[in-house]
Amino acid sequence: MMKKNVGLGIFVLAGLLTLASPSSLQEFPWPQFKGFDVPFVPTPTEVVDEMLRLADVKAGDVLYDLGCGDGRIVIAAAKRFGIRAVGIDIDPVRISESNDNAAIAGVAGKVRFIQQNLFEADFGDATVVTMYLLTSVNRRLRPKLLAELKPGTRLVSHSFDMGDWRPDETSVVTTSFDDQRAVYYWVVPANLTGRWEWDLADGPRDRHYTLQTTQQFQVVTASGTTGDWPLNVNDIELAGDVIKFRADAEADGKMVSFLYEGKVQGHTIAGTVKPADNPKAPAVKWKAARDPKTAEPLDKDI
Ligand SMILES: C[S@@+](CC[C@H](N)C(=O)[O-])C[C@H]1O[C@@H](n2cnc3c(N)ncnc32)[C@H](O)[C@@H]1O
Protein backbone atom coordinates (compact mmCIF):
# COMPACT_ATOMS: atom_id res chain seq x y z
CA MET A 1 0.00 0.00 0.00
CA MET A 2 1.33 3.43 -0.94
CA LYS A 3 1.38 6.01 1.80
CA LYS A 4 -1.47 8.51 1.39
CA ASN A 5 -0.42 11.83 -0.13
CA VAL A 6 -1.14 14.36 2.54
CA GLY A 7 0.04 17.89 3.02
CA LEU A 8 0.20 18.96 -0.60
CA GLY A 9 1.71 22.43 -0.82
CA ILE A 10 -0.82 25.14 -1.46
CA PHE A 11 0.56 25.84 -4.89
CA VAL A 12 0.37 22.16 -5.91
CA LEU A 13 -3.20 22.07 -4.72
CA ALA A 14 -3.93 25.25 -6.65
CA GLY A 15 -2.36 23.65 -9.72
CA LEU A 16 -4.36 20.47 -9.30
CA LEU A 17 -7.59 22.39 -8.87
CA THR A 18 -7.08 23.99 -12.25
CA LEU A 19 -6.72 20.60 -13.94
CA ALA A 20 -9.63 19.37 -16.02
CA SER A 21 -9.37 16.03 -14.23
CA PRO A 22 -7.36 15.70 -11.02
CA SER A 23 -6.60 12.04 -11.86
CA SER A 24 -4.48 12.98 -14.86
CA LEU A 25 -1.94 15.59 -15.78
CA GLN A 26 -2.92 18.12 -18.44
CA GLU A 27 -0.63 20.20 -20.63
CA PHE A 28 -1.21 23.74 -19.47
CA PRO A 29 0.98 26.72 -18.72
CA TRP A 30 2.01 25.53 -15.27
CA PRO A 31 3.50 28.56 -13.49
CA GLN A 32 7.06 27.66 -12.52
CA PHE A 33 7.53 27.88 -8.79
CA LYS A 34 10.78 27.07 -6.98
CA GLY A 35 11.91 25.10 -10.05
CA PHE A 36 8.83 22.83 -10.18
CA ASP A 37 7.98 22.19 -13.82
CA VAL A 38 5.06 19.82 -13.22
CA PRO A 39 2.66 19.29 -10.30
CA PHE A 40 2.47 15.94 -8.51
CA VAL A 41 -0.14 13.66 -10.04
CA PRO A 42 0.50 9.94 -9.56
CA THR A 43 0.48 7.39 -12.39
CA PRO A 44 -2.33 4.82 -11.93
CA THR A 45 -1.07 1.29 -11.12
CA GLU A 46 -2.26 -0.18 -14.42
CA VAL A 47 -0.28 2.49 -16.31
CA VAL A 48 2.82 1.80 -14.16
CA ASP A 49 2.48 -1.89 -15.15
CA GLU A 50 2.26 -1.00 -18.83
CA MET A 51 5.25 1.37 -18.61
CA LEU A 52 7.40 -1.40 -17.11
CA ARG A 53 6.13 -3.94 -19.67
CA LEU A 54 6.69 -1.66 -22.66
CA ALA A 55 10.20 -0.78 -21.43
CA ASP A 56 10.90 -4.53 -21.14
CA VAL A 57 12.37 -4.02 -17.66
CA LYS A 58 14.41 -7.02 -16.58
CA ALA A 59 17.09 -8.13 -14.12
CA GLY A 60 20.24 -6.05 -14.46
CA ASP A 61 18.46 -2.86 -15.55
CA VAL A 62 19.01 0.46 -13.81
CA LEU A 63 15.78 2.49 -13.86
CA TYR A 64 15.40 6.23 -13.22
CA ASP A 65 12.04 7.93 -12.76
CA LEU A 66 12.45 11.64 -13.52
CA GLY A 67 10.03 13.46 -11.23
CA CYS A 68 9.34 10.38 -9.10
CA GLY A 69 6.44 11.70 -7.00
CA ASP A 70 5.64 9.16 -4.24
CA GLY A 71 8.17 6.69 -5.71
CA ARG A 72 5.62 4.24 -7.07
CA ILE A 73 7.37 3.45 -10.40
CA VAL A 74 10.79 3.07 -8.77
CA ILE A 75 9.36 0.87 -6.00
CA ALA A 76 7.33 -1.30 -8.40
CA ALA A 77 10.41 -1.87 -10.60
CA ALA A 78 12.66 -2.75 -7.65
CA LYS A 79 10.07 -5.04 -6.11
CA ARG A 80 9.06 -6.86 -9.28
CA PHE A 81 12.43 -7.22 -11.02
CA GLY A 82 14.90 -6.91 -8.14
CA ILE A 83 16.66 -4.11 -10.00
CA ARG A 84 18.41 -0.98 -8.79
CA ALA A 85 16.11 2.00 -9.28
CA VAL A 86 16.47 5.72 -8.64
CA GLY A 87 13.85 8.43 -8.25
CA ILE A 88 14.58 12.12 -8.68
CA ASP A 89 12.17 14.78 -7.49
CA ILE A 90 12.59 18.45 -6.72
CA ASP A 91 10.06 18.31 -3.89
CA PRO A 92 11.47 17.24 -0.48
CA VAL A 93 7.98 16.14 0.60
CA ARG A 94 7.87 13.64 -2.29
CA ILE A 95 11.36 12.35 -1.48
CA SER A 96 10.50 11.69 2.14
CA GLU A 97 7.22 10.05 1.10
CA SER A 98 9.10 7.88 -1.45
CA ASN A 99 11.58 6.74 1.21
CA ASP A 100 8.72 5.83 3.57
CA ASN A 101 6.94 3.93 0.78
CA ALA A 102 10.13 2.04 -0.15
CA ALA A 103 10.58 0.97 3.49
CA ILE A 104 6.94 -0.22 3.65
CA ALA A 105 7.45 -2.16 0.39
CA GLY A 106 10.68 -3.74 1.71
CA VAL A 107 12.89 -2.38 -1.09
CA ALA A 108 14.73 0.39 0.76
CA GLY A 109 18.06 -1.33 0.01
CA LYS A 110 17.40 -1.41 -3.75
CA VAL A 111 16.22 2.14 -4.35
CA ARG A 112 17.57 5.65 -3.98
CA PHE A 113 15.60 8.89 -3.97
CA ILE A 114 17.40 12.13 -4.72
CA GLN A 115 16.01 15.60 -4.14
CA GLN A 116 17.19 17.46 -7.22
CA ASN A 117 16.06 19.38 -10.26
CA LEU A 118 15.90 16.74 -13.00
CA PHE A 119 17.46 19.20 -15.47
CA GLU A 120 20.61 19.17 -13.32
CA ALA A 121 20.61 15.45 -12.50
CA ASP A 122 23.14 12.88 -13.69
CA PHE A 123 21.26 9.80 -14.92
CA GLY A 124 23.76 8.58 -17.52
CA ASP A 125 23.98 5.08 -15.97
CA ALA A 126 20.26 4.44 -16.64
CA THR A 127 19.21 1.59 -18.92
CA VAL A 128 15.53 2.56 -18.50
CA VAL A 129 14.07 6.04 -17.90
CA THR A 130 10.44 6.65 -16.99
CA MET A 131 8.63 9.99 -17.04
CA TYR A 132 5.24 11.49 -16.32
CA LEU A 133 6.00 15.11 -17.11
CA LEU A 134 4.47 17.30 -19.83
CA THR A 135 5.30 17.38 -23.55
CA SER A 136 6.72 20.88 -23.09
CA VAL A 137 8.99 19.57 -20.30
CA ASN A 138 9.95 16.41 -22.26
CA ARG A 139 10.78 18.66 -25.18
CA ARG A 140 13.11 20.82 -23.04
CA LEU A 141 14.66 17.68 -21.53
CA ARG A 142 15.16 15.98 -24.92
CA PRO A 143 18.63 17.39 -25.74
CA LYS A 144 19.91 16.20 -22.34
CA LEU A 145 18.34 12.74 -22.78
CA LEU A 146 19.85 12.33 -26.26
CA ALA A 147 23.27 13.67 -25.28
CA GLU A 148 23.69 11.90 -21.93
CA LEU A 149 21.88 8.56 -22.16
CA LYS A 150 23.70 5.58 -23.66
CA PRO A 151 22.43 4.41 -27.07
CA GLY A 152 19.99 1.57 -26.44
CA THR A 153 18.57 3.12 -23.24
CA ARG A 154 14.77 2.63 -23.20
CA LEU A 155 12.52 5.58 -22.39
CA VAL A 156 8.84 5.43 -21.52
CA SER A 157 6.54 8.36 -20.95
CA HIS A 158 3.03 8.35 -19.55
CA SER A 159 0.64 10.47 -21.67
CA PHE A 160 3.18 12.96 -23.03
CA ASP A 161 5.29 12.56 -26.16
CA MET A 162 8.57 14.14 -27.30
CA GLY A 163 7.37 16.38 -30.12
CA ASP A 164 8.99 15.46 -33.42
CA TRP A 165 11.03 12.58 -31.91
CA ARG A 166 8.45 9.98 -32.88
CA PRO A 167 7.97 7.06 -30.47
CA ASP A 168 9.16 3.60 -31.54
CA GLU A 169 5.98 2.17 -30.00
CA THR A 170 2.80 3.47 -28.38
CA SER A 171 0.24 1.61 -26.31
CA VAL A 172 -3.02 2.69 -24.73
CA VAL A 173 -4.23 1.69 -21.27
CA THR A 174 -7.78 2.00 -19.93
CA THR A 175 -7.51 3.07 -16.30
CA SER A 176 -9.75 2.51 -13.29
CA PHE A 177 -10.78 6.17 -13.79
CA ASP A 178 -12.28 4.84 -17.05
CA ASP A 179 -10.09 7.04 -19.18
CA GLN A 180 -7.44 6.07 -21.68
CA ARG A 181 -3.76 6.86 -21.28
CA ALA A 182 -1.08 6.60 -23.93
CA VAL A 183 2.29 5.14 -23.01
CA TYR A 184 5.10 6.12 -25.38
CA TYR A 185 8.31 4.14 -25.89
CA TRP A 186 11.62 5.20 -27.45
CA VAL A 187 15.06 3.64 -27.73
CA VAL A 188 17.87 6.19 -27.54
CA PRO A 189 19.57 6.04 -30.95
CA ALA A 190 23.32 6.10 -31.48
CA ASN A 191 24.58 9.25 -33.14
CA LEU A 192 25.56 8.37 -36.73
CA THR A 193 25.76 11.89 -38.11
CA GLY A 194 28.77 12.88 -40.18
CA ARG A 195 31.27 11.37 -42.58
CA TRP A 196 32.40 7.76 -42.22
CA GLU A 197 35.15 5.89 -44.09
CA TRP A 198 36.34 2.29 -44.35
CA ASP A 199 38.28 -0.10 -46.57
CA LEU A 200 37.22 -3.55 -47.67
CA ALA A 201 39.09 -6.13 -49.68
CA ASP A 202 37.36 -6.92 -52.97
CA GLY A 203 39.28 -9.82 -54.46
CA PRO A 204 42.91 -8.73 -54.76
CA ARG A 205 42.01 -5.02 -54.42
CA ASP A 206 41.15 -2.85 -51.49
CA ARG A 207 38.15 -0.64 -52.01
CA HIS A 208 37.77 2.62 -50.14
CA TYR A 209 34.27 3.55 -49.01
CA THR A 210 32.82 6.83 -47.74
CA LEU A 211 29.42 7.45 -46.24
CA GLN A 212 27.74 10.75 -45.41
CA THR A 213 24.78 10.44 -43.07
CA THR A 214 22.05 12.70 -41.78
CA GLN A 215 19.82 11.72 -38.91
CA GLN A 216 16.44 12.72 -37.57
CA PHE A 217 16.49 10.89 -34.20
CA GLN A 218 16.18 7.15 -35.05
CA VAL A 219 15.72 7.78 -38.79
CA VAL A 220 18.99 7.77 -40.74
CA THR A 221 19.59 8.61 -44.39
CA ALA A 222 22.94 8.13 -46.06
CA SER A 223 24.75 8.07 -49.36
CA GLY A 224 28.35 7.40 -50.17
CA THR A 225 31.03 6.42 -52.61
CA THR A 226 33.17 3.41 -53.35
CA GLY A 227 36.23 4.41 -55.31
CA ASP A 228 34.89 6.67 -58.06
CA TRP A 229 31.40 5.15 -57.95
CA PRO A 230 28.35 6.23 -56.01
CA LEU A 231 27.28 3.97 -53.16
CA ASN A 232 23.50 3.80 -52.73
CA VAL A 233 22.51 3.05 -49.16
CA ASN A 234 19.03 1.69 -48.44
CA ASP A 235 16.99 -0.18 -45.82
CA ILE A 236 18.82 1.58 -42.99
CA GLU A 237 17.69 0.32 -39.59
CA LEU A 238 19.03 1.86 -36.40
CA ALA A 239 18.04 0.25 -33.10
CA GLY A 240 19.99 1.77 -30.21
CA ASP A 241 23.64 1.19 -31.10
CA VAL A 242 23.01 -1.45 -33.80
CA ILE A 243 22.96 -0.31 -37.42
CA LYS A 244 21.97 -2.39 -40.46
CA PHE A 245 21.85 -1.26 -44.08
CA ARG A 246 22.13 -2.43 -47.67
CA ALA A 247 24.73 -0.78 -49.91
CA ASP A 248 24.49 -1.07 -53.69
CA ALA A 249 27.40 -0.13 -55.93
CA GLU A 250 28.57 -0.78 -59.43
CA ALA A 251 31.64 -3.01 -59.69
CA ASP A 252 33.20 -4.05 -62.99
CA GLY A 253 30.08 -3.05 -64.90
CA LYS A 254 27.52 -4.82 -62.71
CA MET A 255 25.57 -3.81 -59.61
CA VAL A 256 26.53 -5.57 -56.40
CA SER A 257 24.71 -5.30 -53.09
CA PHE A 258 26.08 -5.90 -49.62
CA LEU A 259 24.33 -6.22 -46.27
CA TYR A 260 26.14 -4.39 -43.48
CA GLU A 261 25.57 -4.84 -39.77
CA GLY A 262 27.54 -3.15 -37.01
CA LYS A 263 27.69 -1.77 -33.51
CA VAL A 264 28.25 1.97 -33.12
CA GLN A 265 30.70 2.99 -30.42
CA GLY A 266 31.53 6.68 -30.42
CA HIS A 267 33.32 7.40 -33.69
CA THR A 268 33.63 3.78 -34.85
CA ILE A 269 31.28 1.14 -36.21
CA ALA A 270 32.45 -2.47 -36.08
CA GLY A 271 30.57 -5.39 -37.58
CA THR A 272 30.24 -7.66 -40.59
CA VAL A 273 29.36 -7.50 -44.30
CA LYS A 274 27.83 -10.16 -46.56
CA PRO A 275 26.80 -10.19 -50.20
CA ALA A 276 23.04 -9.50 -50.33
CA ASP A 277 22.44 -12.24 -52.91
CA ASN A 278 24.18 -14.88 -50.79
CA PRO A 279 23.32 -14.43 -47.10
CA LYS A 280 24.96 -17.82 -46.35
CA ALA A 281 28.35 -16.54 -47.54
CA PRO A 282 30.91 -16.13 -44.74
CA ALA A 283 30.64 -12.70 -43.11
CA VAL A 284 33.62 -10.40 -43.60
CA LYS A 285 34.68 -8.08 -40.78
CA TRP A 286 34.04 -4.38 -41.33
CA LYS A 287 35.15 -1.36 -39.34
CA ALA A 288 34.29 2.25 -40.17
CA ALA A 289 35.65 5.42 -38.59
CA ARG A 290 34.05 8.84 -38.46
CA ASP A 291 35.82 12.15 -38.72
CA PRO A 292 34.87 13.48 -35.23
CA LYS A 293 34.63 17.04 -36.58
CA THR A 294 31.70 16.03 -38.79
CA ALA A 295 29.46 14.68 -35.98
CA GLU A 296 26.53 16.85 -34.91
CA PRO A 297 24.28 16.70 -31.84
CA LEU A 298 21.11 14.66 -32.42
CA ASP A 299 19.00 17.43 -30.97
CA LYS A 300 19.91 20.67 -32.65
CA ASP A 301 18.29 22.64 -29.81
CA ILE A 302 21.08 21.65 -27.45
C1 LIG B 1 3.15 14.14 -12.61
S1 LIG B 1 4.19 13.80 -11.24
C2 LIG B 1 4.73 12.17 -11.64
C3 LIG B 1 5.09 11.34 -10.43
C4 LIG B 1 5.55 9.91 -10.73
N1 LIG B 1 6.60 9.88 -11.71
C5 LIG B 1 4.40 9.09 -11.25
O1 LIG B 1 4.36 8.85 -12.46
O2 LIG B 1 3.54 8.70 -10.44
C6 LIG B 1 5.60 14.84 -11.61
C7 LIG B 1 6.61 14.95 -10.49
O3 LIG B 1 7.70 15.72 -10.98
C8 LIG B 1 8.20 16.54 -9.94
N2 LIG B 1 8.91 17.66 -10.57
C9 LIG B 1 8.40 18.75 -11.18
N3 LIG B 1 9.36 19.52 -11.68
C10 LIG B 1 10.54 18.91 -11.39
C11 LIG B 1 11.91 19.21 -11.65
N4 LIG B 1 12.27 20.29 -12.33
N5 LIG B 1 12.85 18.35 -11.20
C12 LIG B 1 12.50 17.23 -10.51
N6 LIG B 1 11.22 16.90 -10.23
C13 LIG B 1 10.25 17.71 -10.67
C14 LIG B 1 6.98 16.94 -9.15
O4 LIG B 1 7.33 17.29 -7.82
C15 LIG B 1 6.12 15.66 -9.24
O5 LIG B 1 6.32 14.85 -8.12
Side-chain angles (χ1 to χ4, degrees), residues 11 29-38 90 117 119 137 140:
F11 85 96
W30 169 251
Q32 276 226 359
F33 180 79
K34 287 191 181 168
F36 284 62
D37 290 285
V38 186
I90 200 160
N117 187 330
F119 285 93
V137 179
R140 275 197 289 130

Side-chain angles (χ1 to χ4, degrees), residues 23-232:
S23 65
S24 72
L25 193 58
Q26 309 290 324
E27 184 79 54
F28 71 107
W30 169 251
Q32 276 226 359
F33 180 79
K34 287 191 181 168
F36 284 62
D37 290 285
V38 186
F40 172 56
V41 180
T43 294
T45 310
E46 51 277 29
V47 182
V48 173
D49 292 347
E50 180 57 10
M51 291 171 86
L52 299 179
R53 187 201 68 77
L54 200 55
D56 191 24
V57 177
K58 49 189 172 309
D61 274 325
V62 178
L63 178 144
Y64 278 71
D65 186 27
L66 305 182
C68 64
D70 61 7
R72 60 184 56 208
I73 297 177
V74 167
I75 292 167
K79 200 165 176 167
R80 214 165 298 167
F81 303 100
I83 63 167
R84 193 157 68 76
V86 183
I88 296 170
D89 206 290
I90 200 160
D91 187 345
V93 175
R94 300 276 88 86
I95 294 299
S96 128
E97 194 173 34
S98 294
N99 280 318
D100 290 350
N101 286 332
I104 293 167
V107 293
K110 286 266 173 211
V111 300
R112 200 154 55 95
F113 294 101
I114 305 168
Q115 190 216 331
Q116 196 177 19
N117 187 330
L118 59 90
F119 285 93
E120 286 155 19
D122 177 3
F123 41 77
D125 61 330
T127 58
V128 175
V129 171
T130 58
M131 294 169 299
Y132 183 28
L133 303 168
L134 299 168
T135 297
S136 55
V137 179
N138 291 350
R139 188 58 199 76
R140 275 197 289 130
L141 189 59
R142 206 174 72 178
K144 182 171 166 71
L145 296 171
L146 284 163
E148 295 178 17
L149 291 172
K150 296 180 290 288
T153 304
R154 290 102 72 202
L155 295 179
V156 279
S157 171
H158 169 189
S159 284
F160 297 97
D161 66 21
M162 295 264 192
D164 58 350
W165 181 10
R166 301 276 173 247
D168 293 304
E169 262 184 80
T170 303
S171 72
V172 176
V173 185
T174 303
T175 71
S176 51
F177 300 104
D178 210 24
D179 64 355
Q180 297 208 311
R181 310 285 178 92
V183 179
Y184 300 103
Y185 170 81
W186 299 261
V187 177
V188 173
N191 183 329
L192 276 162
T193 59
R195 183 184 156 87
W196 298 83
E197 296 192 36
W198 67 96
D199 292 301
L200 269 184
D202 176 14
R205 295 174 304 185
D206 259 7
R207 276 182 179 272
H208 186 68
Y209 291 80
T210 69
L211 193 70
Q212 183 70 44
T213 69
T214 54
Q215 188 170 352
Q216 172 85 353
F217 308 106
Q218 66 274 58
V219 180
V220 180
T221 48
S223 63
T225 60
T226 168
D228 295 332
W229 298 95
L231 184 71
N232 298 318

